[in-house]
């Protein structure tokens, strides 16, 4: 009987999952090929499919089946884990009243529009009332979801399930105190790399072909995915239908290239999810942080490494004759410039995390009533001064630069930094467990690394929580040490400094 | 109260319609950009969305609301028409038992695969058992749907609502008896046009740009649509999101070009549906025949006309320098070759209808037990001999050429010919009502024609049944006369014969 309830739940979840894939397709199409004039229709389509999915997972039928299934003895670890995720999804979705869901859906286009206007006009006041409304609704949501210590926990749970925000705060604090002096030293004493060597002008076709080749070499399966262009690079889809996008900057080689590799890392994760759990709660990526760990690992630890460019520099020179005279060392340095800057999405691997901390502290503070959104611009600028040693010249280049809050995405930012830390810890372990990892990367052979990630991360789906998985794989709880020693080693090398 | 029921039904239908648009997007993606490996996933997604739509329209809630709404007095014509369509959809979908729906869904991939194999191996026996099963299930379906005279009526209703098959048979019979002698005369006495003038080799970019320009000139709104390539040209989507595809033959100019214009005709219909009825039963194309009338009108009556090429020949010559020496008359003749042939999709405007009749007679006969599917190849070949004066050299080029029956599409074929007749009758009327239609076409001005079609056909949506609409617009019931006189005039001109 109980097993019967379990299979009914799994059948139901497979439909829920299939509808989720349909949502992904609509989202992908919206960003790539959809005609401009179709925006309103797409909005209706999305809300209909979204409402159906919501009804599916919150139904009384699911509630009854969950009760029945959980009573059963003799469930396997897989079954227990599946039920846990499904129950969590059911309870979180059920706990939020429909009126609140609708209010948030109604607010999003308005707040996004206000944010765009405010940023264009460099006028924080245009955005403020909407921003306050966003935080107000998210606070209500947190109350409905419940939490033990801070309402921020309830929101973070959406992106990094099982991670308490106090834990995230501790980790990021440790990270910050190690990072700030490194950034200072480089800013004060480092000789800036010559970036002109990667700003020589590059045709789109060459950039596409080169990026596609790298993706192919990494192990991205083009039979089960595709590459397109969009205003902002992203990865969408799962399993046998994973689509990445990039965009081209004809002046700067780095823009498209590292987007390719970054999105490729996301894509490999999705293509590597466990086949036996496709369409079940376990057949999904375990957290946003874990997802970001895969993109960052490939983009930074692999794609910006010297061994990687030992292999690709000759191919790059063949693709772009204007790169003929550029030396390997020059490339490597140009791909690893560190420089405190105002804009997060343009930040380097090292300072990036400081951008995140500013946002994390502010959004957590605001949820806890410790940061007054009226004073956001001043709070923001002071944080930048403190962490990065620079002060944004305008709100557009300051607290209005990110779309996240306007979309209600509070609790998302820390997963970017957690991803960096996961990546470093994974790479440290892979380096220990695989024989001569750099040697294979130097030959353009990524098979050993990919197999290791497949086995240890991708194929686990959501069997364990993200941090438990990391601990199982790396033998250590999540911390900043691996990342810091990676940063020190790399930038000592790039800048010839003792960090 | 009743009006309340009516608005509830309309709200429900708008969700049904939005989900239908999602199905169209999935279908479009499948034929254009979907990675090969995603076929199985897409199958699951489609069946989930299809099942949800089916449940929506067949629900007891809809039944109750329909009863309630129909009791109301004081409904407007629009409301009555809306309810009629919705009721029809509800009743037809409800009448077929779920087991039969599932059996058909299961059979389709099997019968399609068998058809492909049979065609490749030129072996009818491989397909026969599956074909028999298709007709068996469709016969069952017809019994559930109900009909007054022949089970074929129940199936034709899906494609040409309101058209009895006896009426279609009568019209097509009249058409056939006029067509056969014309085809014979041309075959015997006509001097074959020189086709080499449109087989000089053409780059894809030139073909795309030229076709896109024509579509633009016709009035296709690129803000509300797009153009892609696929193995077989098609049009998908509706309202503000209408997507056409074409394919390129680098040797033959006609392949992509007339696909562009044909699909453009379909697209203009979808873009021209009445805004005030978007998402309601009236906001849809009225029949497959009416849809085909729009594609055929633009492709043949406009796109293969002399005035059209008076305008485009100079542009064509600029696009393709190898066309410089080709004269207008030569182009016109090469675009209007008449030749009895085996393959329907390659047939000309005149003989095309004879291909349709063969299929119509056979599928209607098989549904009525008058044609034995065992003898299909012989029956087929005899019909070709009788109507077209040629005998297929193989079953692959004979009764195995079309995918339709393998997909269960019985009752679809006649709409192709009905479309030709509608088109001719519409064009005859437009020519009478618009001042100097050919004069504007000669100048590349399609605005007057498009406005006329918008006003008389597109903007009517499903307010009237297809034939009623035609009668209102053209003042005559559907018949073959307009088409025959158009054919005689055109091919007398092209071939210099008295037809």
């Amino acid at each position: 009987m109980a097993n019967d309830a379990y299979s009914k739940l799994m059948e139901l979840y497979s439909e829920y999952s299939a509808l989720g894939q349909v949502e992904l397709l609509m989202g992908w199409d919206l960003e790539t090929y959809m005609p401009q004039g179709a925006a309103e229709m797409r909005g209706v389509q999305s809300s209909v499919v979204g409402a159906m999915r919501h009804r599916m997972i919150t139904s009384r039928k699911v509630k009854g089946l969950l009760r029945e299934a959980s009573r059963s003895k003799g469930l396997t670890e897989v079954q227990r884990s599946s039920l846990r995720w499904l129950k969590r999804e059911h309870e979180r979705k059920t706990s939020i009243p429909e009126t609140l869901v609708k209010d948030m859906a109604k607010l999003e286009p308005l707040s996004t529009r206000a944010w765009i206007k405010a940023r264009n006009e460099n006028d924080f006041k245009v955005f403020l009332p909407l921003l306050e409304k966003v935080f107000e609704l998210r606070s209500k949501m947190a109350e409905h979801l419940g939490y033990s210590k801070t309402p921020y926990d309830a929101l973070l749970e959406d992106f990094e399930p099982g991670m308490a925000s106090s834990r995230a705060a501790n980790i990021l604090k440790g990270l910050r105190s190690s990072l700030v002096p490194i950034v200072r030293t480089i800013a004060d004493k480092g000789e800036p790399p010559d970036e002109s060597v990667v700003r020589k002008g590059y045709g789109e076709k060459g950039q596409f072909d080169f990026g596609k080749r790298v993706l192919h070499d990494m192990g991205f399966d083009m039979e089960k995915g595709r590459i397109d262009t969009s205003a902002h690079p992203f990865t969408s889809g799962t399993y046998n239908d994973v689509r990445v996008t990039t965009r081209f900057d004809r002046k700067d080689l780095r823009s498209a290239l590292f987007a390719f590799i970054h999105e490729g890392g996301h894509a490999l994760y999705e293509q590597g999810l466990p086949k036996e759990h496709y369409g079940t709660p376990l057949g999904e990526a375990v957290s946003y942080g874990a997802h970001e760990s895969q993109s960052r690992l490939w983009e930074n630890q692999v794609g910006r490494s010297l061994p990687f460019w030992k292999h690709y520099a000759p191919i790059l020179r063949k693709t772009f004759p204007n790169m003929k005279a550029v030396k390997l060392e020059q490339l490597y340095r140009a791909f690893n410039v560190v420089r405190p800057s105002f804009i997060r999405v343009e930040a380097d691997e090292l300072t990036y995390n400081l951008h995140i901390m500013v946002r994390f502290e502010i959004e957590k503070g605001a949820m806890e009533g410790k940061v007054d959104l009226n004073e956001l611009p001043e709070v923001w600028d002071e944080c930048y001064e403190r962490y990065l040693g620079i002060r944004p010249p305008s709100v557009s280049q300051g607290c209005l630069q990110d779309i996240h809050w306007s979309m209600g995405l509070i609790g998302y930012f820390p997963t970017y930094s957690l991803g960096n830390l996961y990546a470093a810890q994974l790479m440290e372990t892979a380096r220990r467990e695989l024989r001569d990892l750099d040697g294979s990367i130097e030959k353009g052979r990524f098979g050993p690394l990919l197999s290791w990630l497949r086995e240890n991360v991708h194929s686990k789906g959501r069997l364990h929580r993200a941090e438990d998985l990391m601990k199982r794989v790396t033998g250590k709880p999540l911390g900043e040490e691996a990342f810091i020693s990676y940063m020190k080693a790399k930038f000592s090398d790039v800048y010839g400094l003792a960090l």
Side-chain angles (χ1 to χ4, degrees), chain A:
Chain A
M1 267 303 281
N3 262 327
D4 193 37
Y6 180 81
S7 9
K8 277 184 194 154
L9 281 172
M10 288 305 110
E11 205 183 308
L12 214 140
Y13 197 89
S14 77
E15 297 193 357
Y16 182 71
S17 167
L19 270 196
Q21 292 158 20
V22 173
E23 286 186 316
L24 293 178
L25 176 69
M26 288 194 281
W28 170 84
D29 182 69
L30 176 77
E31 301 287 340
T32 51
Y33 295 114
M34 191 186 82
Q36 265 194 316
E40 205 182 317
M41 276 172 73
R42 181 55 48 84
V44 176
Q45 294 156 10
S46 293
S47 76
V48 170
V49 174
M52 297 195 121
R53 264 193 112 216
H54 191 264
R55 256 174 263 151
M56 248 179 171
I57 199 77
T58 58
S59 72
R60 265 178 295 179
K61 191 177 159 193
V62 167
K63 191 177 181 175
L65 288 170
L66 273 170
R67 203 183 305 126
E68 203 179 318
S70 65
R71 271 196 220 117
S72 156
K73 282 160 197 169
L75 289 170
T76 63
E77 192 194 347
V78 161
Q79 290 175 323
R80 280 199 309 274
S81 183
S82 267
L83 282 179
R84 208 159 46 230
W85 281 109
L86 212 162
K87 190 158 179 260
R88 171 183 173 278
E89 186 86 357
H90 170 76
E91 286 176 353
R92 286 178 69 81
K93 289 271 159 50
T94 311
S95 70
I96 303 167
E98 215 179 301
T99 52
L100 186 51
V101 174
K102 282 188 182 156
D103 284 350
M104 290 198 300
K106 260 186 252 161
L107 179 60
E108 195 193 307
L110 303 178
S111 53
T112 306
R113 207 181 312 155
W115 166 72
I116 292 170
K117 190 167 188 284
R119 199 177 60 157
N120 287 344
E121 298 175 2
N122 197 34
D123 185 356
F124 177 67
K125 276 189 228 84
V126 172
F127 185 42
L128 180 62
L130 281 299
L131 181 67
E132 287 181 322
K133 189 80 192 156
V134 167
F135 273 85
E136 184 195 319
L137 293 186
R138 288 287 152 184
S139 295
K140 277 190 191 166
M141 191 174 139
E143 296 307 320
H144 287 290
L145 288 167
Y147 52 86
S148 58
K149 287 205 185 111
T150 152
Y152 189 78
D153 281 340
L155 304 186
L156 182 59
E157 175 71 18
D158 259 347
F159 307 102
E160 203 60 27
M163 167 79 69
S165 62
S166 56
R167 169 125 186 80
N170 265 338
I171 296 172
L172 296 182
K173 207 172 155 189
L175 178 60
R176 194 189 66 211
S177 57
S178 307
L179 281 183
V180 171
I182 304 179
V183 172
R184 284 280 152 89
T185 309
I186 295 177
D188 292 347
K189 302 188 195 158
E191 192 197 323
D194 175 10
E195 293 181 69
S196 73
V197 297
V198 292
R199 296 183 52 81
K200 288 170 173 288
Y202 310 90
E204 284 191 11
K205 172 135 185 17
Q207 292 194 59
F208 183 86
D209 290 347
F210 186 76
K212 191 176 165 184
R213 178 184 180 143
V214 172
L215 274 186
H216 173 82
D217 293 346
M218 283 165 61
F220 179 64
D221 186 345
M222 289 289 292
E223 294 264 299
K224 299 177 179 175
R226 48 176 297 118
I227 309 170
D228 298 276
T229 57
S230 63
H232 303 284
F234 68 91
T235 303
S236 177
T238 188
Y239 306 154
N240 297 329
D241 191 355
V242 182
R243 309 182 184 195
V244 304
T245 71
T246 190
R247 40 103 175 86
F248 298 100
D249 181 338
R250 299 180 75 94
K251 283 192 204 128
D252 197 316
L253 187 62
R254 295 168 292 190
S255 175
L257 178 60
F258 290 107
F260 260 115
I261 306 178
H262 181 97
E263 302 307 332
H266 282 304
L268 290 175
Y269 191 5
E270 292 291 334
Q271 288 188 339
L273 288 167
K275 282 197 180 50
E276 68 275 24
H277 299 311
Y278 277 10
T280 80
L282 299 193
E284 297 175 21
V286 68
S287 78
Y288 279 63
H291 228 307
E292 198 69 11
S293 79
Q294 299 306 295
S295 54
R296 301 270 162 167
L297 186 152
W298 286 99
E299 177 193 353
N300 293 329
Q301 302 248 7
V302 177
R304 294 185 202 266
S305 74
L306 196 59
F308 185 89
W309 288 102
K310 275 191 189 153
H311 178 70
Y312 283 109
I315 301 164
L316 188 72
R317 289 188 202 108
K318 240 183 235 166
T319 313
F320 301 108
N322 57 1
M323 296 298 281
K324 220 163 211 166
V326 179
K327 295 203 185 74
L328 174 62
E329 277 293 331
Q330 287 178 303
L331 272 183
Y332 175 56
R333 282 180 51 90
F335 291 149
N336 287 289
V337 177
V338 170
R339 184 177 38 221
S341 62
F342 304 117
I343 305 298
R344 176 184 59 87
V345 296
E346 293 165 7
D348 58 80
E349 198 178 351
L350 188 62
T351 61
Y352 188 91
N353 300 289
L354 298 173
H355 292 262
I356 294 305
M357 287 176 215
V358 173
R359 289 149 180 82
F360 173 64
E361 286 176 25
I362 290 174
E363 65 181 13
K364 188 163 175 292
M367 284 295 293
E368 293 167 354
K370 291 173 194 159
V371 168
D372 181 354
L373 291 172
N374 271 296
E375 292 161 13
L376 176 58
E378 295 77 45
V379 178
W380 182 283
D381 292 356
E382 274 162 34
C383 281
Y384 265 75
E385 180 115 49
R386 206 149 11 105
Y387 300 163
L388 286 142
I390 53 173
R391 216 179 163 86
S394 68
V395 279
S396 296
Q397 288 173 276
C399 66
L400 290 180
Q401 68 183 269
D402 296 306
I403 197 174
H404 297 60
W405 291 337
S406 80
M407 296 174 71
L409 296 173
I410 299 166
Y412 190 120
F413 282 121
T415 66
Y416 291 123
S417 281
L418 295 175
N420 282 329
L421 303 190
Y422 284 139
Q425 222 162 302
L426 286 170
M427 199 63 173
E428 191 181 66
T429 312
R431 219 175 268 289
R432 204 167 57 226
E433 295 186 1
L434 295 171
R435 231 174 52 116
D436 193 20
L437 178 55
D438 284 341
S440 22
I441 293 176
E442 251 180 63
K443 296 190 192 79
R445 288 182 51 239
F446 304 106
L449 178 59
L450 179 58
S451 300
W452 188 88
L453 290 168
R454 287 266 194 262
E455 190 189 327
N456 289 289
V457 181
H458 306 176
S459 70
K460 300 299 178 191
R462 289 205 290 188
L463 189 58
H464 314 291
R465 289 211 164 129
E467 227 198 319
D468 296 342
L469 175 68
M470 280 309 141
K471 209 170 155 187
R472 276 166 184 262
V473 180
T474 68
K476 287 183 215 164
L478 186 65
E480 77 279 13
E481 298 79 13
F483 183 72
I484 294 296
S485 44
Y486 156 60
M487 287 287 92
K488 283 186 178 168
K490 183 183 225 177
F491 291 106
S492 299
D493 189 31
V494 170
Y495 282 90
L497 295 168
L499 293 169

